[in-house]
Amino acid sequence: MENGFTIEVSNNTSAEKEIKLFTQDGLVEGVIVKVVNSDLDYNFLLNIAKNKGFKGCGIMINTELINHICFQDEENSETIIINKIIDNKQILLNGHTKYISLVIPSQSEAPIIIQLLP
């Protein structure tokens, strides 16, 4: 996990859903997040985010289904239009008020590569 991890976000519902990744609010019904390149699961990573936090420098979205991503913290929200890779961007997640949100279309899966370190 020292170089990051890949998660796959699935929306099994008939409507698009906003997903707040790595926040204590949890996932909305019908949305599944699984860690692809590790024996770890999403709940384990969420606990790391809550207890230690994550620092990161990049995200790669390998799908055209997601065209923007939002980085949220206590006071600010920054929405970025995605062209596959976001690099040289400071990413801080704490499991509470600092998280990533995105919208995923209905009945779809989206692989997301995240470079984060606890």
Side-chain angles (χ1 to χ4, degrees):
M1 193 172 69
E2 66 234 14
N3 293 321
F5 46 86
T6 302
I7 59 173
E8 186 173 83
V9 179
S10 301
N11 178 2
N12 298 320
T13 71
S14 60
E16 75 177 16
K17 298 285 184 176
E18 179 183 11
I19 301 166
K20 295 178 180 177
L21 294 171
F22 303 104
T23 181
Q24 65 187 2
D25 294 340
L27 300 172
V28 294
E29 188 174 334
V31 172
I32 299 168
V33 177
K34 60 183 176 180
V35 182
V36 178
N37 65 335
S38 174
D39 292 335
L40 305 176
D41 66 11
Y42 176 74
N43 288 327
F44 182 81
L45 294 176
L46 177 58
N47 283 330
I48 292 174
K50 288 179 187 177
N51 295 318
K52 294 183 179 181
F54 281 113
K55 289 184 190 178
C57 62
I59 291 182
M60 184 170 101
I61 309 278
N62 197 18
T63 180
E64 294 177 4
L65 297 172
I66 298 172
N67 58 13
H68 69 277
I69 193 165
C70 180
F71 299 96
Q72 184 72 41
D73 67 31
E74 299 108 47
E75 301 163 1
N76 301 310
S77 174
E78 179 182 8
T79 301
I80 298 176
I81 304 298
I82 293 179
N83 186 8
K84 300 261 186 210
I85 296 175
I86 299 170
D87 61 355
N88 296 321
K89 163 83 178 118
Q90 182 176 344
I91 302 166
L92 301 172
L93 306 175
N94 69 3
H96 304 280
T97 57
K98 296 179 181 183
Y99 58 89
I100 299 168
S101 71
L102 53 93
V103 175
I104 184 168
S106 64
Q107 301 298 323
S108 61
E109 292 183 348
I112 303 170
I113 299 171
I114 304 177
Q115 291 179 315
L116 295 170
L117 296 174

